[in-house]
Amino acid sequence: MVDYDAAVAAVQDPNADPILLAKIAYENPEFGANVAVNPRCYPGLKRWIAEFGDERARETLAQYGFTAEAFGGPVQDQEAPSQAAFEEPVATNPYGFTAEQALTTTDQMQIAQIAQYAPELRACIARNPNTYPALIEWLGQLGDPAINAALASRQ
């Protein structure tokens, strides 16, 4: 659970980690309105707060025109895409790294090397359950749709 003082500091920080803001909104609903107005609060988090946040948070978002209905209605459960739903990339790196390695290796050094030297395989690394958390976080910051879809399938 996020410490109260850390939550207070984070919601006031214009450079707060969006993942931390989401955790704060989930664990501390009383901070929902503060999270919602933070410049690092991303649209998906605003949608979640608009639907599941406390009354004050929903009212704050409504003042800015954000409601659950404005985002397409209530959040619906969706099936995660199956592994077959992903198109395997063609490995073009000169180091011989393959999609199979990126998907299955447990060697953390090799995972890091694939991420660095074979960018075409990053979506595969994002799907690998052995990929370490710091690399997952970095991959999420790249803004690549294929990587984002792969990360979403990890849920």
Side-chain angles (χ1 to χ4, degrees):
M1 182 165 220
V2 179
D3 173 68
Y4 179 84
D5 292 332
V8 169
V11 297
Q12 294 175 359
D13 180 2
N15 296 312
D17 177 13
I19 295 169
L20 178 59
L21 291 174
K23 187 173 183 179
I24 291 168
Y26 179 76
E27 293 179 352
N28 307 86
E30 68 274 13
F31 283 106
N34 302 87
V35 169
V37 298
N38 186 292
R40 299 279 290 179
C41 183
Y42 53 94
L45 179 53
K46 287 181 182 180
R47 178 181 181 180
W48 187 88
I49 293 170
E51 185 170 351
F52 300 109
D54 66 8
E55 186 63 30
R56 189 174 77 106
R58 289 193 308 271
E59 287 174 5
T60 300
L61 281 170
Q63 291 172 358
Y64 290 96
F66 291 99
T67 63
E69 291 74 30
F71 285 108
V75 175
Q76 301 291 323
D77 287 336
Q78 296 180 350
E79 266 187 51
S82 68
Q83 294 287 7
F86 292 100
E87 185 176 319
E88 296 303 327
V90 175
T92 58
N93 66 85
Y95 303 97
F97 294 122
T98 65
E100 178 69 22
Q101 283 177 308
L103 286 166
T104 61
T105 186
T106 59
D107 182 330
Q108 299 301 301
M109 182 59 78
Q110 188 175 53
I111 290 172
Q113 290 172 335
I114 294 169
Q116 181 176 3
Y117 299 118
E120 73 277 9
L121 299 177
R122 289 178 180 160
C124 294
I125 292 171
R127 290 173 29 216
N128 184 332
N130 302 303
T131 300
Y132 53 96
L135 182 54
I136 292 295
E137 185 178 333
W138 179 78
L139 289 168
Q141 295 172 1
L142 296 177
D144 182 297
I147 293 171
N148 291 344
L151 291 173
S153 74
R154 293 175 65 94
Q155 307 298 330

